[in-house]
Amino acid sequence: MKHTGTEGTRNLLTDRPALYEARFPDPGRLAGRWAEDCLRRYGAGPTVLDLGCGTGRDAAHLHRAGRRVTAVDLSASMLDHARVHHPGPVYTRADLSGFALGRRAFDAAVCLDSSLLYCHTNEQLDGFLASCRRALAQGGLLVAEMRNGAYFLGRNEPPAGPAVAQFTWHGTTYRSTTVLDVDRTAQLLRRTRTWSTDDGTPPVEERSAWRLLFPQELRHLLTAHGFEVLALHDGPGPRTEPAWRPGDGPGRTADGDRLHVVARRTAR
């Protein structure tokens, strides 16, 4: 988990990054390829900040593409795993709601897989965007991918019943039962997930949440913090159906379940 915010930090997959990669395999590095395509499409320079890097797979892909990458996460176990298994970037620990990694030190920042949405409050979102502006050179890009709050308007979402999934890793079967609930007052999508295994380990319950941001709300926040929005759309992207493919350009709607944004730091 690419964590920031006020929920508890105990998480089975965050505490065991190799298990995280087994649960969410990405052999084609789709998210990293999409991010690199955005950076090239909008002419970003070579120095990149990966915010909420998780196990480091996407950061390492950007590094192999020729970028000089600094990758940050709040999870020490994720960073330890990244340094060993996905070398190349410089990995460091930081909270996305407020970080100081040098003034105008980066040509671009990427924030994938809803990492931005672990900033739950307006103050945390302001801290994130102010930190990004401070870290980016004039004209630097911010590329982000996340859940779309607008998707929940007028739809029977999230589902009323729990979602059940399982996978097997090193001979142990892991089963998850996940319940999602929209907290409209806090504008959060809250998740309760219970893990059980077939090896006799006691079940583990996790609670986390994502901020639900709406497209025009996100556009306003970016503009208020000195960014010009270049693209804001629901796909195609690395987690859409159908998924992004090389050669795909940005979409024109913002109705789907994912939101993708590219913004440029202005001179003011």
Side-chain angles (χ1 to χ4, degrees), residues 62-87:
L62 294 174
H63 169 79
R64 290 192 297 272
R67 307 282 176 182
R68 297 194 299 273
V69 183
T70 297
V72 305
D73 202 280
L74 191 59
S75 167
S77 59
M78 285 286 200
L79 293 170
D80 289 343
H81 176 92
R83 292 183 184 104
V84 173
H85 296 279
H86 303 291

Side-chain angles (χ1 to χ4, degrees), residues 92-268:
T92 188
R93 191 168 185 263
D95 191 319
L96 299 194
S97 63
F99 55 87
L101 299 169
R103 297 187 67 86
R104 303 193 175 194
F106 299 94
D107 299 310
V110 299
C111 189
L112 307 177
D113 199 24
S114 294
S115 293
L116 169 58
L117 303 185
Y118 288 109
C119 293
H120 293 166
T121 67
N122 292 341
E123 291 76 16
Q124 289 172 334
L125 288 166
D126 286 338
F128 171 83
L129 291 172
S131 297
C132 285
R133 179 172 174 80
R134 184 168 53 245
L136 288 171
Q138 182 176 325
L141 290 183
L142 173 60
V143 177
E145 182 272 335
M146 69 200 80
R147 287 179 178 269
N148 181 10
Y151 182 73
F152 295 89
L153 295 174
R155 287 185 173 91
N156 187 26
E157 292 284 346
V164 178
Q166 70 177 42
F167 70 103
T168 300
W169 185 65
H170 289 183
T172 299
T173 298
Y174 296 81
R175 185 174 187 269
S176 64
T177 302
T178 303
V179 177
L180 298 175
D181 179 65
V182 175
D183 181 340
R184 291 177 175 82
T185 301
Q187 211 168 304
L188 293 176
L189 179 64
R190 298 191 181 275
R191 180 181 69 184
T192 302
R193 174 173 287 167
T194 302
W195 288 99
S196 60
T197 64
D198 61 358
D199 64 359
T201 302
V204 175
E205 182 180 278
E206 304 166 351
R207 295 181 181 272
S208 58
W210 296 274
R211 173 68 180 262
L212 292 178
L213 288 174
F214 300 98
Q216 294 305 316
E217 177 186 18
L218 180 57
R219 185 183 296 274
H220 172 75
L221 286 167
L222 286 162
T223 301
H225 280 276
F227 287 89
E228 176 192 3
V229 177
L230 305 178
L232 197 158
H233 59 91
D234 55 10
R239 288 186 173 271
T240 61
E241 291 293 341
W244 171 86
R245 297 175 299 178
D248 287 346
R252 296 181 179 274
T253 60
D255 186 60
D257 63 342
R258 305 299 292 188
L259 197 59
H260 312 81
V261 62
V262 180
R264 190 182 306 280
R265 183 194 188 279
T266 59
R268 75 164 181 81

Side-chain angles (χ1 to χ4, degrees), residues 45-62:
T47 58
V48 176
L49 181 59
D50 183 354
L51 298 164
C53 66
T55 64
R57 293 181 295 189
D58 299 326
H61 176 83
L62 294 174

